[in-house]
Amino acid sequence: MKGLEKSVLKRVGTFQLAGEAQGLALVLPQALSFWGGVDVETGDIIDQSHPGLGGSVAGRILVMASGRGSSSSSSVLAEAIRRCTAPAGIILERPDPILAVGAIVAEFLYEISMPLVVCDISGIASGDRIAIGLGEDAQAMVSKF
């Protein structure tokens, strides 16, 4: 249709937590721990050793290969979701049970859903507009426009 951009990337993935989200991608070249790595009040990356230091995950589609440790990351993610300082969605190459627990707890306690998807992240760059949606057979659909 005239005026609509064509999708330049479509991926099928697996939901760790189903949902829909849109936003600008924030691609991190290194795993990020929410515990000690993200300011829950602002969504800013505060890990002094992380290459994303000073950036913000708030409202973005966070893209990285995997999460990074501390089981406390799940509680920080859940609180960030409650405060609306969390990513709009997270896309990982490998499943992360710690981030999944945080997203599931936030959905259960606060009735706020933040999709968590596992799929190939190649070809996604920071600043790309990303949409996460529900595809056939409850698969995750990740599109870049």
Side-chain angles (χ1 to χ4, degrees):
M1 295 175 78
K2 189 174 182 180
L4 293 179
E5 293 180 38
K6 285 185 152 185
S7 174
V8 295
L9 176 136
K10 284 195 183 244
R11 298 273 162 77
V12 176
T14 304
F15 280 116
Q16 285 196 275
L17 183 64
E20 295 183 343
Q22 289 188 13
L24 297 178
L26 174 62
V27 179
L28 298 180
Q30 181 178 313
L32 176 68
S33 173
F34 276 75
W35 177 255
V38 175
D39 182 336
V40 72
E41 293 183 15
T42 64
D44 293 341
I45 298 172
I46 58 172
D47 180 340
Q48 296 294 311
S49 66
H50 197 279
L53 177 65
S56 177
V57 300
R60 304 290 294 267
I61 302 295
L62 180 59
V63 181
M64 55 188 176
S66 66
R68 186 180 83 216
S70 183
S71 57
S72 298
S73 284
S74 57
S75 62
V76 175
L77 177 58
E79 180 63 9
I81 292 170
R82 184 184 75 80
R83 291 175 177 250
C84 299
T85 59
I90 299 176
I91 301 172
L92 304 171
E93 280 192 323
R94 294 183 296 280
D96 187 303
I98 292 170
L99 294 178
V101 166
I104 291 166
V105 166
E107 184 174 61
F108 180 78
L109 290 178
Y110 312 125
E111 298 180 353
I112 303 171
S113 179
M114 185 212 65
L116 182 57
V117 176
V118 177
C119 73
D120 176 12
I121 63 171
S122 64
I124 302 174
S126 287
D128 288 344
R129 182 134 184 91
I130 301 293
I132 298 171
L134 186 63
E136 292 182 24
D137 299 325
Q139 292 180 315
M141 294 300 302
V142 174
S143 302
K144 176 174 86 169
F145 295 91

